[in-house]
Amino acid sequence: FGQVCAERDLRLRLYNTCQGQASVSALEALDFQPAEGGAILFCHTEQTTFELLAVLRSRGYRVVVVDNAATGIEAPSVAMDSLLAVRMALHELRRLGHRQIALLLNEPRESGSCRERIAAFGRVTAELGLKNCPVWDCKTSRGGPESFRTPYRKFPFFLRAHPEVTAVFAANDQTALGV
């Protein structure tokens, strides 16, 4: 994404709101005017998305919301179909012979997209007749490098607790890279 922006002579600045500070306080770091660009809100909880969206809009910024299944957000958005993604992955894992598949989480359960993935996992495992498919949460406290390190550190504990599991469906890229 950064390379595409550079090729088009667009400036890209990342403002991390997942390091424990209040998300709205991260807006103080914005160093461009609304006419110079917009904001992309990526993977926040519903409450944080609403807060950031309200503040950014009140200041005149254009905003796109990415990967958040929050209901009632009226903004341009890009999101995936969690049910379809989970269905495709679990069908493939089942085709490969796996019957005890775990969903591995590494994001706040308050996130709309996280809740969607959990619900989709439960629905599809039931449709496929899969039993004893645990949902395991790494409980990462914040984003950034921790979102990779935490699954890496905690995954051996999961394997010892669930030796029956033959496949893992990681809920997001950071989790997959961590394990």
Side-chain angles (χ1 to χ4, degrees), residues 58-118:
S58 72
R59 295 180 184 179
Y61 288 94
R62 293 166 291 170
V63 182
V64 174
V65 178
V66 176
D67 195 31
N68 192 314
T71 54
I73 290 181
E74 294 186 23
S77 62
V78 178
M80 67 176 228
D81 182 332
S82 293
L83 181 59
L84 180 59
V86 170
R87 183 171 280 129
M88 290 172 66
L90 293 184
H91 275 270
E92 179 62 12
L93 290 170
R94 184 170 172 241
R95 186 188 71 74
L96 292 171
H98 297 284
R99 297 294 182 266
Q100 292 188 299
I101 304 164
L103 172 63
L104 190 58
L105 302 173
N106 189 30
E107 57 189 295
R109 287 189 183 222
E110 298 83 31
S111 163
S113 55
C114 182
R115 287 195 315 269
E116 266 191 2
R117 288 182 193 117
I118 293 169

Side-chain angles (χ1 to χ4, degrees), residues 100-105 109 121 132-139 150-170 175 179:
Q100 292 188 299
I101 304 164
L103 172 63
L104 190 58
L105 302 173
R109 287 189 183 222
F121 184 79
N132 303 318
C133 294
V135 175
W136 194 69
D137 192 344
C138 293
K139 298 189 187 296
T150 301
Y152 180 77
R153 282 194 316 266
K154 292 185 176 182
F155 194 62
F157 297 102
F158 168 79
L159 290 175
R160 282 195 289 280
H162 298 281
E164 73 284 0
V165 169
T166 61
V168 173
F169 176 70
T175 307
V179 298

